[in-house]
Amino acid sequence: MTARSSSTPRQKSPQRRSATPATYAFVIFVVLAMCRLLIFRPELHVNASTRQQVTVRNVIDGDTIDLTDGRRVRLLGIDAPEAGFFEKKAEPWSQESTQWLRDRIEGQAVTLRIDEHEKDKYGRTLAWIYGSDNILINQQILAEGYAKLLPDFGLPLELEPALREAESEARVQRLGLWGLTQK
């Protein structure tokens, strides 16, 4: 006699489902997200040496300033209307944008935050600018509608949501240049 009885049903082993492409995509996404959060942290590479206390000598236009140390600085993350230099016609809201920036920081001490891109093709220092009250001027000018978001040089991960929200709110409220009718 055999040890098995014919009266007990034999249990089937559970069948394995093969993973779908969506499952693979999800796993890859999770792995990449974890790598980004745990390994590739560019915001940790912004150290104190990239922050500089400076004084603004004068405002050139809505996104460019001159410092008392002779440097010309281009504000990162924004594109203000062109002021019309070198026989070019001034764009709408250029005077207002320039005046807004002038009222906020001309003659004032500010803090520059210089990330990986130190200079643009015109030799201007590229920076995020914090006012004396530690408010990010680049974000504030977006929020009031005097400039558009310009992500060409990249936006720091810790600043990007606030910058995008600032521009979106100005658009929704039709502030500044967003109040213009599109032609």
Side-chain angles (χ1 to χ4, degrees):
M1 262 189 140
T2 61
R4 283 195 189 157
S5 166
S6 62
S7 63
T8 52
R10 192 170 175 188
Q11 293 207 348
K12 291 184 179 180
S13 62
Q15 288 201 356
R16 252 190 186 176
R17 290 186 194 180
S18 60
T20 65
T23 303
Y24 286 123
F26 179 73
V27 169
I28 290 170
F29 173 77
V30 169
V31 168
L32 290 174
M34 295 303 292
C35 286
R36 167 61 187 91
L37 292 172
L38 300 174
I39 300 170
F40 305 112
R41 309 260 327 249
E43 64 273 17
L44 295 179
H45 300 292
V46 177
N47 57 34
S49 66
T50 63
R51 292 187 182 254
Q52 303 168 10
Q53 293 288 325
V54 296
T55 302
V56 177
R57 184 177 66 220
N58 66 309
V59 171
I60 304 299
D61 62 21
D63 55 27
T64 308
I65 61 174
D66 281 338
L67 304 177
T68 56
D69 66 10
R71 286 185 289 172
R72 183 159 283 181
V73 176
R74 169 73 163 78
L75 280 71
L76 278 169
I78 67 167
D79 186 23
E82 296 302 321
F85 298 113
F86 307 112
E87 299 179 16
K88 291 183 182 179
K89 187 178 177 184
E91 294 179 355
W93 279 91
S94 63
Q95 290 180 2
E96 293 86 348
S97 176
T98 302
Q99 191 60 49
W100 183 93
L101 191 59
R102 195 171 278 139
D103 292 343
R104 297 305 177 284
I105 64 173
E106 191 167 76
Q108 302 290 316
V110 296
T111 301
L112 297 184
R113 172 182 155 180
I114 301 170
D115 290 346
E116 62 206 50
H117 304 287
E118 288 189 33
K119 295 195 182 273
D120 68 4
K121 64 183 179 180
Y122 303 108
R124 298 177 294 187
T125 299
L126 299 171
W128 301 97
I129 299 180
Y130 293 86
S132 58
D133 52 4
N134 207 30
I135 290 179
L136 181 60
I137 298 298
N138 313 54
Q139 178 182 347
Q140 198 174 22
I141 198 169
L142 288 171
E144 298 201 23
Y146 291 104
K148 296 178 181 178
L149 186 66
L150 180 68
D152 289 6
F153 297 102
L155 300 172
L157 293 172
E158 73 278 9
L159 297 178
E160 185 174 3
L163 293 168
R164 291 192 184 280
E165 181 180 348
E167 183 189 57
S168 293
E169 286 295 320
R171 280 180 174 219
V172 168
Q173 295 176 26
R174 301 187 64 74
L175 298 176
L177 58 91
W178 300 112
L180 297 173
T181 57
Q182 299 295 324
K183 294 182 180 178

